[in-house]
Amino acid sequence: MVSTVNDANNSPLPNEDLDNGVTASSPLNSAWAPSYFQPDAKKTMGNWRAAALPQWTAGASVSADWGGSTYPVFKQSAHPAQAAEFSEWLTANQASWTILKTPPSELFPTYEPLLSDPSFKSLTYPVSGSSQPNQVFTAAASEIQPVQWPPFMTQALNQALTTFQPVLSGKETLQQAFQAFQGQEVSYAKAQGFTVSTG
Amino acid sequence: MSDTALKAPRNAPPRTAAARRTRRSAWSRRRDRRGLAFVAPFGIAFTLFTIVPLLYAIYESLFTSRIIGGTVFSGFGNYHQVLTSGAFWGGFVRVIVFGAIQIPIMLAIAFFFACVFDLGVAKASRLFRTIFFIPFAVPIVVAALMWGFLLEPSYGPITHLANAFGFGGTNFLSSGLILPSIILIAIWEWTGYNSIILYTALKSVPRDVVEAAILDDTPLWKIILKIKLPMVRPAIVMLIFLNSIGALQLFVEPEILSYQGGSITNTWTPIVDVYNTSIANAQYNLGAAMAVVLGLVIIVVSVASMIFRRQRGELS
């Protein structure tokens, strides 16, 4: 997707507002977001702290994934086996994550040995001073419930942009939009030949 | 007879009428082939990039391809779905509204500037003609990104300007203002181009007609509106039809702006619908049927324009 200046997060102008205290000083964002914010942080460098997400139900510890990438092997690939092996190495290997977790990538790991590694949990970053934000992020990562993604995620995301627009402009409630979205996805799945059971 | 005799030294005239016919037809056959060579580059490109994709789209539109079940022949099933899709025709209504507002405003501005340049009263008119033409040279994607930034709800300079003039909280990209904003962008993009065509048309208005009017003490506005405007009418009619076809195909501006705030739905214009159906939803066959329907509407508009202009004697 094209990234524009209007992206709510992770681009220079909104970051500048965050740095100047123009916008909310406690943004909800992902574990990988600080690496995007850090280059724009000037006045507030070192002052940021990570905290667990606020919960709807007191005492709960619900968390979620935001973003994520996949490294697929395409049918046209001349060396599918090698490509698959590389993809596996890249995402599930201590050596590759040693590279990926450091600048300029600073990806948040999906690799469990690294997530539970005390030396990763205790890392400090210039943007968050002496605090250890990975303590919060790794704890949250362990709370995430496995999600079954639909086999037509591109369609679902594209449809969601249109279906949830009336919520942004205040014309519909989230419940109404989700109901419409459910109907749209069920009828798309049926059109694609799936047998759909709802319940 | 004397004619043949006269030409004899140069042309070595054939002895009989029959021989003359063969010679002439051989010559004209050769000329035809030479002509063919000249149009071949266009013909090949036109066949490869217009005719073949068109036939391919028609072919594709007769099938349905699913994740489960593969590709099956579905006849006019896709067409039935397109013709009964409220969202698809809603997009059509939107581009018609867009064209009905954008085209007259743009042509009025273009005609005004064409007249200013034609009168020769403006200093450095060649420079200004170029400046007005520049937006046309800017790729539409770049123009849409640029305007998207200018109109951006939190950081856009035009939004700041609107706030400064007391229109606080104006969001030019909200669902209520996005159509006017795109009309504004399209006017900016296309006025210079239309103005150059009208300027050229104005240049071909015979000078003696205008001189006669000046000698008769006709006021300037009357010369422009009663003499020049009717004489460039064919150019205006042509531009109305060309711009209408362009409006029906509105795509790049809404597509680019759809990444800013989401007030562009995935069926906002017919082509936006075709794009989302084919690419995001991976329903290539349904998208092809939409494209064919849109193509048919454009063919109807084009033929109507030809008939209209031919009846008026503006097209031979």
Side-chain angles (χ1 to χ4, degrees):
Chain A
M1 277 222 253
V2 178
S3 180
T4 67
V5 287
N6 195 39
D7 273 0
N9 292 288
N10 315 320
S11 57
L13 283 169
N15 281 351
E16 201 177 296
D17 276 358
L18 268 180
D19 195 36
N20 290 325
V22 174
T23 45
S25 59
S26 55
L28 300 181
N29 217 322
S30 56
W32 45 263
S35 66
Y36 282 71
F37 175 62
Q38 192 159 278
D40 295 322
K42 289 177 185 74
K43 296 177 192 167
T44 58
M45 185 61 100
N47 296 344
W48 292 84
R49 296 293 178 269
L53 279 177
Q55 299 292 319
W56 291 108
T57 317
S61 54
V62 177
S63 199
D65 265 325
W66 181 345
S69 310
T70 48
Y71 299 93
V73 177
F74 291 103
K75 224 184 213 171
Q76 295 96 321
S77 172
H79 307 285
Q82 289 87 337
E85 200 177 325
F86 174 73
S87 179
E88 206 180 307
W89 176 86
L90 190 67
T91 47
N93 184 290
Q94 189 71 44
S96 76
W97 274 109
T98 307
I99 304 167
L100 292 173
K101 70 170 187 195
T102 51
S105 328
E106 286 194 76
L107 296 187
F108 189 76
T110 51
Y111 183 61
E112 286 189 357
L114 186 56
L115 279 173
S116 53
D117 182 350
S119 72
F120 177 72
K121 288 184 187 175
S122 60
L123 279 180
T124 58
Y125 300 87
V127 72
S128 42
S130 60
S131 70
Q132 299 175 352
N134 288 343
Q135 301 283 5
V136 177
F137 294 138
T138 51
S142 70
E143 302 288 350
I144 297 167
Q145 298 300 310
V147 172
Q148 178 66 58
W149 300 100
F152 36 79
M153 195 59 202
T154 318
Q155 184 275 342
L157 280 175
N158 188 271
Q159 183 61 55
L161 283 178
T162 288
T163 307
F164 289 92
Q165 199 281 328
V167 179
L168 290 177
S169 55
K171 289 181 189 125
E172 267 183 32
T173 64
L174 260 181
Q175 275 84 351
Q176 288 170 319
F178 266 116
Q179 209 158 28
F181 190 52
Q182 171 77 6
Q184 288 156 350
E185 292 310 289
V186 167
S187 71
Y188 180 82
K190 282 181 179 163
Q192 288 296 334
F194 289 92
T195 310
V196 184
S197 59
T198 53
Chain B
M1 266 329 234
S2 61
D3 250 41
T4 324
L6 272 173
K7 281 179 183 167
R10 268 188 295 155
N11 276 351
R15 298 227 158 79
T16 64
R20 194 155 61 226
R21 261 201 308 278
T22 13
R23 267 187 73 88
R24 191 173 293 160
S25 66
W27 185 82
S28 70
R29 266 209 308 274
R30 218 167 32 243
R31 188 182 54 177
D32 283 350
R33 275 204 297 276
R34 269 203 299 259
L36 212 62
F38 278 111
V39 294
F42 169 77
I44 291 167
F46 185 71
T47 308
L48 277 180
F49 300 114
T50 304
I51 303 288
V52 171
L54 197 66
L55 295 176
Y56 182 63
I58 294 171
Y59 171 80
E60 280 281 317
S61 69
L62 302 175
F63 292 84
T64 296
S65 170
R66 297 166 170 182
I67 297 177
I68 310 285
T71 305
V72 289
F73 180 78
S74 55
F76 290 104
N78 289 324
Y79 288 96
H80 180 258
Q81 206 178 328
V82 173
L83 294 174
T84 55
S85 160
F88 183 71
W89 296 106
F92 251 102
V93 170
R94 185 172 286 112
V95 288
I96 289 167
V97 171
F98 165 83
I101 301 170
Q102 186 256 345
I103 297 170
I105 296 177
M106 176 189 64
L107 286 180
I109 301 172
F111 183 71
F112 172 79
F113 283 114
C115 285
V116 171
F117 291 134
D118 181 54
L119 289 171
V121 289
K123 277 186 185 169
S125 86
R126 191 185 282 257
L127 173 72
F128 281 105
R129 279 208 309 272
T130 311
I131 290 174
F132 285 4
F133 196 71
I134 282 176
F136 180 69
V138 175
I140 304 177
V141 173
V142 177
L145 282 172
M146 186 187 80
W147 278 96
F149 181 83
L150 290 172
L151 299 171
E152 210 275 337
S154 322
Y155 306 98
I158 295 182
T159 313
H160 282 284
L161 209 63
N163 288 342
F165 280 103
F167 298 98
T170 309
N171 182 353
F172 290 104
L173 305 179
S174 63
S175 48
L177 283 180
I178 190 77
L179 185 64
S181 294
I182 289 180
I183 288 174
L184 174 78
I185 298 170
I187 290 174
W188 178 84
E189 280 167 345
W190 293 100
T191 300
Y193 173 78
N194 284 274
S195 165
I196 293 292
I197 291 178
L198 289 173
Y199 170 75
T200 319
L202 283 170
K203 277 283 167 224
S204 64
V205 170
R207 288 187 75 89
D208 45 1
V209 179
V210 180
E211 270 169 27
I214 292 170
L215 287 176
D216 282 345
D217 257 349
T218 318
L220 181 62
W221 68 268
K222 244 183 178 170
I223 294 179
I224 289 173
L225 291 182
K226 303 270 172 174
I227 297 172
K228 291 195 172 185
L229 184 61
M231 290 184 104
V232 299
R233 217 188 57 99
I236 292 178
V237 171
M238 179 191 76
L239 287 176
I240 288 174
F241 280 112
L242 282 182
N243 284 301
S244 302
I245 292 169
L248 285 171
Q249 301 184 63
L250 184 66
F251 171 65
V252 177
E253 297 90 340
E255 179 58 24
I256 295 292
L257 293 177
S258 74
Y259 296 102
Q260 285 188 265
S263 49
I264 304 281
T265 62
N266 54 11
T267 57
W268 211 73
T269 75
I271 302 254
V272 168
D273 201 354
V274 169
Y275 176 76
N276 283 311
T277 303
S278 311
I279 307 301
N281 296 4
Q283 293 170 306
Y284 305 106
N285 312 97
L286 188 58
M290 287 177 172
V292 171
V293 170
L294 177 66
L296 286 175
V297 172
I298 289 173
I299 288 172
V300 167
V301 173
S302 305
V303 171
S305 98
M306 296 269 213
I307 293 171
F308 182 79
R309 289 164 68 195
R310 190 162 291 173
Q311 275 177 351
R312 300 263 177 156
E314 289 162 7
L315 209 67
S316 53

